[in-house]
């Protein structure tokens, strides 16, 4: 029972959804696995966008276009030719029940640093089709969180030239350290997250990549972590190094 | 009926265990509350109330979901199967029989969810491997059995289907 909720609006267009969003104490409802689980008492109006947001998954010659309303289980079912993305999705939520409900758009909007798929997507930096209600395409890293995500467009080349590693106490447990690396034509993108204060990102030109630049990434990123039950900072430093090495090997 | 101050009332129409249900409900009512309190279908349990445990699992339009994370209004137009819709009082389903035969039940609290996850898995993938069975019940937590006997029960049916398919070849 979530007793602060008084109303659910079901918009028939993005324009209407954005109008509803301007009402105070409103929140978007997609898959609902975060918002319903959290039951924030400040929220009184939910805007059910599941009827307007794209739910298709299309694979073209050079891209994967995922409707933001697609569940992350849909991604597992339909993207078997892209094992890394399937792996990232599976690890980001080990419960099939939740995967059947959780939408990719919601997972991105949550910006949860302990999510493998979010970390991996930040690394590959797909294009988001955002409705405000006008349509605009913007890279994930540049999205300010405003508007409604309708589609996620992933360049398949980035999937082939990327790798990610995770460290968790059990395969089914949330990772406390996640490393994602993408090699582009001229540079390497690194994203490091997990049970961290925030997500760490860095780009290094391929020509400048050296042991020293790697050391810099490790030293900078470990500052986002803490000594905790998962291990000391020294241990996490060694895991970041191992993670980067393993991820780079996959590229 | 549990109302907050002036919630909007929605009329919903859905099929639960092959019965068409039309009812007016307040916005904030979760599917779990609707099933338990309005329809008296108490097989789905509330344990964690945040989607972690799977004790409230139901099948919604051919997919297992946590009914504690679904608003009843979201289920409008859907087809829901609860544990009460599996087997009959006089005759258990094959999976329910397998759970009995393999001693898969201890305290029993997770079992409605486990059975529903297993039933849907068997429907989607009748020859599922052990790994696929583990994936199929990955959203359902059992704190008693250690899962081995539950996996054995589901596995006994998938193995049977595998054997049958091999014999047909």
């Amino acid at each position: 029972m979530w007793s602060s909720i008084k109303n659910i609006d079901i918009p028939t267009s993005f324009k209407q959804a954005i109008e509803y969003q301007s009402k105070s104490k409103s929140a978007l409802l997609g898959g609902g696995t975060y918002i319903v689980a959290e039951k924030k008492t400040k929220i009184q109006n939910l805007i059910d966008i599941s009827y307007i947001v794209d739910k298709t998954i299309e694979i073209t010659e050079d891209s994967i276009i995922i409707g933001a309303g697609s569940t992350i289980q849909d991604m597992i079912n339909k993207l078997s030719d892209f094992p890394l993305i399937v792996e990232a999705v599976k690890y980001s939520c080990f419960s099939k029940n939740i995967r059947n409900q959780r939408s990719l758009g919601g997972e991105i909007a949550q910006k949860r640093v302990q999510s493998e798929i979010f970390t991996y997507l930040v690394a590959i930096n797909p294009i988001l089709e955002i409705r405000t209600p006008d349509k605009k395409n913007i890279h994930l890293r540049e999205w300010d969180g405003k508007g409604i995500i309708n589609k996620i467009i992933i360049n398949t080349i980035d999937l082939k030239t990327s790798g990610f590693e995770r460290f968790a106490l059990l395969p089914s447990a949330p990772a406390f350290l996640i490393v994602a690396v993408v090699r582009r034509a001229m540079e390497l993108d690194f994203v490091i997250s997990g049970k961290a204060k925030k997500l760490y990102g860095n780009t290094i030109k391929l020509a400048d990549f050296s042991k020293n630049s790697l050391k810099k990434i490790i030293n900078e990123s470990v500052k986002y972590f803490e000594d905790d039950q998962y291990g000391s900072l020294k241990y996490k430093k060694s895991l970041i190094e191992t993670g980067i090495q393993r991820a780079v090997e996959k590229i | 009926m549990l109302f907050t101050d002036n919630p909007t009332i929605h009329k919903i129409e859905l099929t639960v265990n092959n019965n068409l249900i039309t009812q007016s409900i307040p916005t904030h009512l979760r599917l779990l509350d609707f099933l338990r309190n309005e329809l008296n279908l108490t097989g789905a349990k509330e344990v964690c109330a945040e989607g972690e445990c799977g004790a409230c699992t139901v099948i919604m339009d051919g997919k297992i979901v946590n009914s504690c994370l679904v608003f009843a209004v979201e289920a409008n137009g859907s087809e829901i199967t609860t544990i009460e819709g599996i087997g009959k009082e006089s005759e258990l389903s094959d999976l329910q029989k397998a759970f009995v035969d393999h001693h898969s039940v201890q305290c029993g609290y997770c079992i409605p969810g486990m059975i529903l996850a297993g039933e849907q898995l068997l429907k989607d993938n009748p020859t599922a491997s052990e790994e696929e069975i583990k994936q199929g019940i990955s959203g359902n937590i059992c704190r008693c059995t250690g899962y081995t006997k539950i996996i054995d029960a589901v596995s006994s049916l998938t193995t049977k289907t595998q054997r049958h398919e091999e014999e047909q070849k």
Side-chain angles (χ1 to χ4, degrees):
Chain A
M1 186 64 63
W2 185 4
S3 51
S4 69
I5 293 302
K6 292 186 175 165
N7 188 38
I8 295 186
D9 288 314
I10 303 176
T12 53
S13 66
F14 284 102
K15 191 175 173 227
Q16 205 176 32
I18 301 289
E19 278 167 18
Y20 288 145
Q21 235 184 336
S22 62
K23 281 187 201 170
S24 67
K25 299 178 181 175
S26 293
L28 296 177
L29 172 70
T33 57
Y34 286 111
I35 198 162
V36 183
E38 287 166 3
K39 298 177 187 65
K40 288 180 183 160
T41 49
K42 281 182 186 167
I43 301 171
Q44 290 188 350
N45 301 299
L46 290 173
I47 306 157
D48 185 354
I49 53 169
S50 59
Y51 294 92
I52 54 169
V53 172
D54 192 291
K55 285 182 186 156
T56 60
I57 296 181
E58 189 190 347
I59 302 169
T60 68
E61 210 172 295
D62 54 5
S63 63
I64 304 171
I65 304 161
I66 306 170
S70 306
T71 67
I72 59 173
Q73 182 63 35
D74 288 338
M75 291 172 68
I76 293 175
N77 297 342
K78 291 177 186 168
L79 298 177
S80 53
D81 289 341
F82 305 95
L84 265 187
I85 205 161
V86 166
E87 207 178 311
V89 163
K90 208 177 264 182
Y91 282 126
S92 63
C93 175
F94 224 76
S95 158
K96 192 177 181 183
N97 302 20
I98 295 182
R99 291 201 303 259
N100 275 335
Q101 289 175 261
R102 182 166 291 170
S103 67
L104 182 60
E107 187 71 3
I108 293 171
Q110 287 293 321
K111 299 187 176 179
R112 193 167 58 93
V113 293
Q114 219 174 346
S115 160
E116 280 83 348
I117 187 63
F118 180 65
T119 304
Y120 186 48
L121 286 177
V122 172
I124 57 179
N125 202 17
I127 292 169
L128 304 182
E129 183 195 294
I130 303 290
R131 307 299 294 263
T132 62
D134 297 331
K135 193 159 70 173
K136 68 170 179 182
N137 285 355
I138 190 166
H139 279 285
L140 169 59
R141 289 186 213 163
E142 287 147 28
W143 184 47
D144 59 5
K146 288 180 183 151
I148 298 168
I149 308 170
N150 190 41
K151 286 179 186 176
I152 298 99
I153 303 151
I154 298 169
N155 186 336
T156 46
I157 291 172
D158 291 337
L159 296 179
K160 287 173 193 157
T161 59
S162 59
F164 91 89
E165 278 295 313
R166 71 187 296 272
F167 299 94
L169 297 179
L170 288 167
S172 59
F176 59 88
L177 209 148
I178 308 163
V179 174
V181 182
V182 182
R183 192 189 71 222
R184 302 189 196 281
M186 305 293 282
E187 56 203 21
L188 279 167
D189 271 350
F190 296 87
V191 177
I192 295 156
S193 68
K195 198 160 171 45
K197 288 168 211 158
K198 55 181 182 174
L199 192 133
Y200 170 85
N202 203 337
T203 302
I204 292 181
K205 285 191 178 149
L206 274 174
D208 298 337
F209 187 64
S210 65
K211 272 190 178 170
N212 277 344
S213 55
L214 189 63
K215 210 172 166 184
K216 189 179 164 230
I217 289 174
I218 295 165
N219 287 334
E220 281 178 2
S221 61
V222 80
K223 288 178 190 160
Y224 289 55
F225 293 84
E226 284 175 355
D227 267 321
D228 56 19
Q229 71 270 33
Y230 299 106
S232 65
L233 287 178
K234 196 178 165 194
Y235 171 59
K236 283 172 189 167
K237 235 170 152 174
S238 73
L239 289 184
I240 295 170
E241 188 174 359
T242 308
I244 291 175
Q245 276 170 0
R246 285 186 192 165
V248 169
E249 275 167 21
K250 285 180 185 169
I251 301 173
Chain B
M1 182 75 77
L2 297 156
F3 286 100
T4 57
D5 298 337
N6 308 316
T8 311
I9 303 297
H10 303 262
K11 190 176 175 190
I12 60 166
E13 194 173 283
L14 70 165
T15 308
V16 180
N17 301 333
N18 295 323
N19 299 314
L20 186 67
I21 312 277
T22 307
Q23 200 153 325
S24 293
I25 52 148
T27 297
H28 62 267
L29 198 71
R30 298 170 307 170
L31 180 59
L32 175 64
D33 304 317
F34 177 69
L35 295 170
R36 290 180 60 87
N37 302 337
E38 303 299 316
L39 305 186
N40 214 16
L41 297 171
T42 54
K45 310 289 185 217
E46 175 154 23
V47 179
C48 73
E50 53 187 31
E52 295 292 336
C53 71
C56 64
T57 301
V58 299
I59 300 171
M60 182 168 162
D61 297 328
K63 287 178 181 177
I64 46 169
V65 297
N66 293 317
S67 60
C68 73
L69 296 183
V70 179
F71 284 105
V73 289
E74 288 181 88
N76 187 25
S78 296
E79 209 165 288
I80 306 288
T81 306
T82 69
I83 191 65
E84 290 86 351
I86 303 289
K88 290 174 194 160
E89 266 186 33
S90 54
E91 196 184 347
L92 299 176
S93 75
D94 289 346
L95 184 59
Q96 287 169 324
K97 277 182 206 159
F99 267 61
V100 173
D101 294 343
H102 288 83
H103 307 284
S104 310
V105 183
Q106 286 188 27
C107 90
Y109 219 72
C110 69
I111 297 302
M114 284 288 183
I115 294 280
L116 287 163
E119 291 282 358
Q120 192 56 44
L121 174 76
L122 290 169
K123 204 177 243 183
D124 294 340
N125 185 1
T127 56
S129 64
E130 188 177 319
E131 186 49 40
E132 286 166 332
I133 294 170
K134 287 179 184 173
Q135 284 293 324
I137 59 167
S138 59
N140 297 76
I141 290 176
C142 170
R143 299 287 79 162
C144 304
T145 63
Y147 303 99
T148 308
K149 298 289 179 188
I150 291 171
I151 294 165
D152 286 350
V154 184
S155 207
S156 68
L157 296 180
T158 56
T159 314
K160 215 173 177 180
T161 312
Q162 282 163 4
R163 264 195 234 125
H164 180 72
E165 278 187 5
E166 273 162 27
E167 281 166 16
Q168 295 288 314
K169 281 179 192 171

